[in-house]
Amino acid sequence: MQLFWKKYHKWGGILFTVFILMFCCTGIVLNHQKYFSSYDVSRSWMPQRYQYTHWNNGIVKGTLRLTDGRILMYGNAGIWLTDSCFSTFTSFNTGLAEGIENREIGNLIQMPDGSVWSAALFELYVLQEGGQWQEYPLPGHDEQLSDVIQHGDTLIALSRSYVYRAVAPDYIFDRIQLQPPGNYSPEETLFRMVWLLHSGELFGITGKLIVDGLAIVLVVLCITGIIYWVLPSLIRHRKRRQMKAQSHISLLRGSLKWHNRLGAYLIILTLLLSVSGMCLRAPLRTPLVKVKVNPIPGSSLDSENAWHDKLRAIRWDEHLNAWLLGTSKGFYQMDYLSDVPHKIKHAPAASSMGINVFALDPEHKNTWLVGSLSGFYRWNPAEESVTDYFTGKSVSERRKSGSSTAVSGYSTDLLDCAVVFQRQNGATDYAGIQLLPPMPDELKNQPMSLWNFCLELHVGRFFSSLLGSLTQWFVFASGFILSFILVSGYIVYRKRYKRRPIKHIPKQFK
């Protein structure tokens, strides 16, 4: 049995080293999104699904027609000055922070006084004379921005947790913490708790640094394991040629020492990191989503703000004379921002990743268009009706997700019709016919942020062209293999080295 554990620990570790290193390095980047936001990666060598073709992959989230007739296009590649035919493009990003991720625009609006505001991923900007953007500070702001809208002379900026309100022309923002919703319970899904535990965010920056440290430990285990595998043959080779090998033997002994100690002493934490990662994808994800638990006291989920990291979009409905609030928990309604939000029972499905389209339908009165990675819908809150945008079929309350089309943008300023931008197919119809002119090379060559690239690697989507339908099992399988390597290594250590000096090495290398 000892030979079994030793054999599979050795070869499992050797063959899986590249993936372990990938998980560790990408995980550290994912844990510090804002710090790495200025770094980009070229798309030119990536698989086809990551290329910009036909205005796909969120390069267009929307357009804004200014009062002077100019049209601004915005999305994942920043802001561009264009025309209604999409024939010319000029970069309109002067003043925005460097890095394509810092130029990911959630919404763009113009106030009645003519001022133009944009909600980038991390900061709010206002357009200055001369076409340069200037960062506009928000009180107490330290998270991602979700939205910015205009209601009369009031400007509303929405972060993931708070509402910021200012009135023209002074634009002095107040931070508003919304009331807990009706029948509020602080319970969270076990899935979300495990997700935050995996990244360490459950315990704030301290937890993140601990997880970063565990990633470094796994890197060291990989390196020392490879050294312990490679050096014996090198030492034998040098001894046969009667060459000195003492330095190699010392390195071998030191590598074995640190490999055993780090692997044994931190086995619980590294296993927890591996198993929690397994739980974030199929098949373990589904049961965890259904289980509700109380937040751990003192953790990031144990917040006095009921809307912590849940706000995604906000709009004023003239017909209802009320605010509509899009969140990761569904849609809510309130007459005033100081009121208690009440959940709207029959509302369209919206991805927790964000709401990409939330606009009035030009063809149907009192109807909203709501689009995200969960589909595209027409929604009339007053009549409590939800229909699929593409098929026109009603979406029942029990089956809220009635569309499989992931939508990344929408515009009524182009050509003579509304244009829907799909995540994968871009501005094309179901027959694959392009609705807009081909993309210029300058836009095609826009990079991907390092953070998003690491995310695609970390969850295995980058390998989908090779794995196909097995991609959804990549994370689970990887976590299982890593857990097996850790457990088998600990078993070998306990049986072979626990009662022997750590500096034990094969006799022929002494």
Side-chain angles (χ1 to χ4, degrees), residues 212-236:
D212 292 345
L214 291 176
I216 294 173
V217 166
L218 289 174
V219 170
V220 172
L221 290 175
C222 288
I223 295 173
T224 54
I226 293 296
I227 290 175
Y228 188 66
W229 173 53
V230 171
L231 275 188
S233 60
L234 180 59
I235 293 173
R236 283 192 295 266

Side-chain angles (χ1 to χ4, degrees), residues 27-189:
I28 291 174
V29 173
L30 293 177
N31 249 4
H32 305 280
Q33 183 176 9
K34 197 167 185 178
Y35 180 82
F36 290 99
S37 61
S38 60
Y39 298 93
D40 301 328
V41 178
S42 174
R43 294 176 184 263
S44 60
W45 55 272
M46 295 185 189
Q48 182 61 33
R49 70 189 302 265
Y50 295 106
Q51 304 298 323
Y52 280 132
T53 55
H54 311 321
W55 310 99
N56 62 342
N57 283 323
I59 196 169
V60 181
K61 190 170 185 181
T63 58
L64 173 66
R65 185 184 292 272
L66 302 177
T67 53
D68 59 9
R70 294 181 299 171
I71 296 177
L72 296 180
M73 178 199 85
Y74 61 92
N76 289 346
I79 305 171
W80 297 78
L81 181 64
T82 185
D83 54 54
S84 61
C85 296
F86 253 33
S87 60
T88 62
F89 292 89
T90 304
S91 177
F92 211 75
N93 296 301
T94 304
L96 299 181
E98 292 298 322
I100 200 69
E101 190 165 27
N102 289 314
R103 298 181 176 186
E104 184 177 323
I105 307 300
N107 202 8
L108 196 63
I109 60 108
Q110 185 170 28
M111 295 290 290
D113 62 5
S115 62
V116 180
W117 299 77
S118 66
L121 186 61
F122 298 110
E123 305 294 345
L124 181 68
Y125 290 90
V126 60
L127 186 63
Q128 301 293 302
E129 292 185 7
Q132 180 168 336
W133 296 98
Q134 179 179 331
E135 181 182 326
Y136 204 94
L138 296 173
H141 173 63
D142 61 353
E143 58 181 356
Q144 292 185 18
L145 278 182
S146 298
D147 203 0
V148 61
I149 66 161
Q150 166 260 332
H151 173 50
D153 62 351
T154 300
L155 178 66
I156 299 290
L158 190 72
S159 74
R160 289 292 188 101
S161 305
Y162 297 95
V163 176
Y164 297 86
R165 179 176 58 189
V167 179
D170 297 328
Y171 295 111
I172 300 175
F173 281 93
D174 294 324
R175 189 176 79 166
I176 300 173
Q177 179 175 313
L178 297 178
Q179 295 282 345
N183 300 321
Y184 170 68
S185 171
E187 290 183 335
E188 288 284 352
T189 64

Side-chain angles (χ1 to χ4, degrees), residues 174-401:
D174 294 324
R175 189 176 79 166
I176 300 173
Q177 179 175 313
L178 297 178
Q179 295 282 345
N183 300 321
Y184 170 68
S185 171
E187 290 183 335
E188 288 284 352
T189 64
L190 185 56
F191 169 77
R192 178 162 174 77
M193 182 175 292
V194 173
W195 183 359
L196 297 182
L197 177 65
H198 181 67
S199 68
E201 190 180 349
L202 188 64
F203 302 104
I205 186 61
T206 301
K208 284 187 174 184
L209 293 177
I210 290 175
V211 170
D212 292 345
L214 291 176
I216 294 173
V217 166
L218 289 174
V219 170
V220 172
L221 290 175
C222 288
I223 295 173
T224 54
I226 293 296
I227 290 175
Y228 188 66
W229 173 53
V230 171
L231 275 188
S233 60
L234 180 59
I235 293 173
R236 283 192 295 266
H237 175 75
R238 294 182 69 86
K239 281 186 172 291
R240 282 195 300 265
R241 292 177 173 267
Q242 296 183 347
M243 299 171 65
K244 292 182 179 180
Q246 189 56 44
S247 60
H248 297 76
I249 294 174
S250 297
L251 178 58
L252 179 64
R253 182 181 290 118
S255 297
L256 179 60
K257 170 185 174 181
W258 284 107
H259 190 82
N260 285 338
R261 286 186 174 177
L262 289 175
Y265 297 163
L266 297 176
I267 182 66
I268 299 299
L269 292 178
T270 51
L271 263 180
L272 184 62
L273 183 64
S274 176
V275 173
S276 62
M278 291 171 58
C279 295
L280 302 182
R281 289 296 184 271
L284 299 180
R285 173 177 176 165
T286 302
L288 294 183
V289 169
K290 297 178 179 179
V291 177
K292 296 290 186 70
V293 294
N294 288 317
I296 298 175
S299 68
S300 60
L301 290 178
D302 185 28
S303 173
E304 63 176 11
N305 183 2
W307 300 103
H308 176 71
D309 199 36
K310 295 182 178 68
L311 305 182
R312 298 295 183 265
I314 188 170
R315 294 292 185 272
W316 175 258
D317 190 304
E318 296 285 354
H319 180 66
L320 295 176
N321 200 31
W323 292 101
L324 299 177
L325 185 68
T327 77
S328 60
K329 299 291 187 180
F331 285 87
Y332 292 77
Q333 177 180 330
M334 52 191 172
D335 294 338
Y336 301 95
L337 294 177
S338 57
D339 288 350
V340 174
H342 295 281
K343 190 167 187 177
I344 302 174
K345 292 183 178 180
H346 195 35
S351 171
S352 60
M353 301 300 292
I355 298 174
N356 298 322
V357 179
F358 199 174
L360 284 171
D361 189 344
E363 299 178 0
H364 298 79
K365 188 177 180 181
N366 303 324
T367 300
W368 292 93
L369 299 176
V370 180
S372 70
L373 301 185
S374 297
F376 198 31
Y377 307 93
R378 284 190 169 95
W379 176 37
N380 189 318
E383 297 179 1
E384 298 185 349
S385 67
V386 179
T387 57
D388 183 88
Y389 179 89
F390 298 104
T391 65
K393 294 181 179 180
S394 177
V395 180
S396 66
E397 185 174 349
R398 291 183 179 180
R399 187 172 176 267
K400 291 183 178 180
S401 182

